[in-house]
Amino acid sequence: MSLVEDARHVRENAYVPYSHFKVGAAIRAASGAVYTGCNVENAAFPEGTCAEAGAIAAMVAAGDTEIAEVAVIADSPHPVSPCGGCRQKLAEFARGDVPVTLATVAGATLETTVSELLPGVFDQSYMSRP
Ligand code: THU
C-alpha cells in the first residue's frame, strides 16, 4: 500500500466534531516502518492535535526518529497544506530533502519536500556553541 493510501485509511478515524475536517498522515521511517496519525480535536479547541503530530508521536513511541517520507491527505479542494507547527515538527525528524506528498481525497497530489515547506527552519544547529 502506498503511503498516501495509508494516510487515506487512518484519516477515517479522525475525531473532528468541531471542524468536521478529517486529516490523515503517514510517515515512513528510515527503518522502513510506517506510522500513521489522524487529527484529534477537543472541546477546549487549542488542545486538539494535528494528524502529523499523531504520526510523529507514534513513530517516536515505537523507537524511530528518522523520517524518510511523508504523506498527508484531506478532503480539501487542493492538496492539503500542513500547518506551520506541523512543518516544524516534521523538520525535527526529517532532512530537508525528505519527500512529502500532499493529497486530496479526490485524488489530486502535490509533491514537495520538508525544506520547501519550511525554508529557514530553526533547528538544533542554532543552539550549538563553538
Ligand atoms: N489539521 C491537521 O490535522 N493537519 C494540518 O496540517 C492542518 C490542520 C487539522 C487540525 C484541525 O483538527 C482541523 O485540521 C482544522 O484545522
Side-chain angles (χ1 to χ4, degrees):
M1 189 159 47
S2 78
L3 212 53
V4 170
E5 291 310 305
D6 288 318
R8 182 188 297 273
H9 188 249
V10 72
R11 175 183 167 276
E12 294 302 322
N13 293 336
Y15 175 77
V16 292
Y18 308 104
S19 75
H20 305 289
F21 186 70
K22 293 184 170 189
V23 183
I27 291 171
R28 189 185 317 282
S31 68
V34 171
Y35 302 99
T36 60
C38 56
N39 49 336
V40 180
E41 298 183 345
N42 193 281
F45 289 0
E47 299 303 326
T49 51
C50 286
E52 297 90 327
I56 289 168
M59 177 188 76
V60 174
D64 272 315
T65 53
E66 190 182 343
I67 294 175
E69 191 182 349
V70 182
V72 188
I73 191 169
D75 189 15
S76 42
H78 39 261
V80 64
S81 178
C83 78
C86 285
R87 293 173 190 221
Q88 182 73 33
K89 289 182 177 77
L90 290 169
E92 180 72 18
F93 300 103
R95 291 201 326 260
D97 63 355
V98 162
V100 181
T101 302
L102 308 179
T104 70
V105 167
T109 57
L110 175 67
E111 303 292 340
T112 185
T113 64
V114 167
S115 63
E116 283 174 354
L117 287 171
L118 190 57
V121 61
F122 176 80
D123 62 20
Q124 56 186 269
S125 71
Y126 291 99
M127 292 187 286
S128 58
R129 288 172 175 272

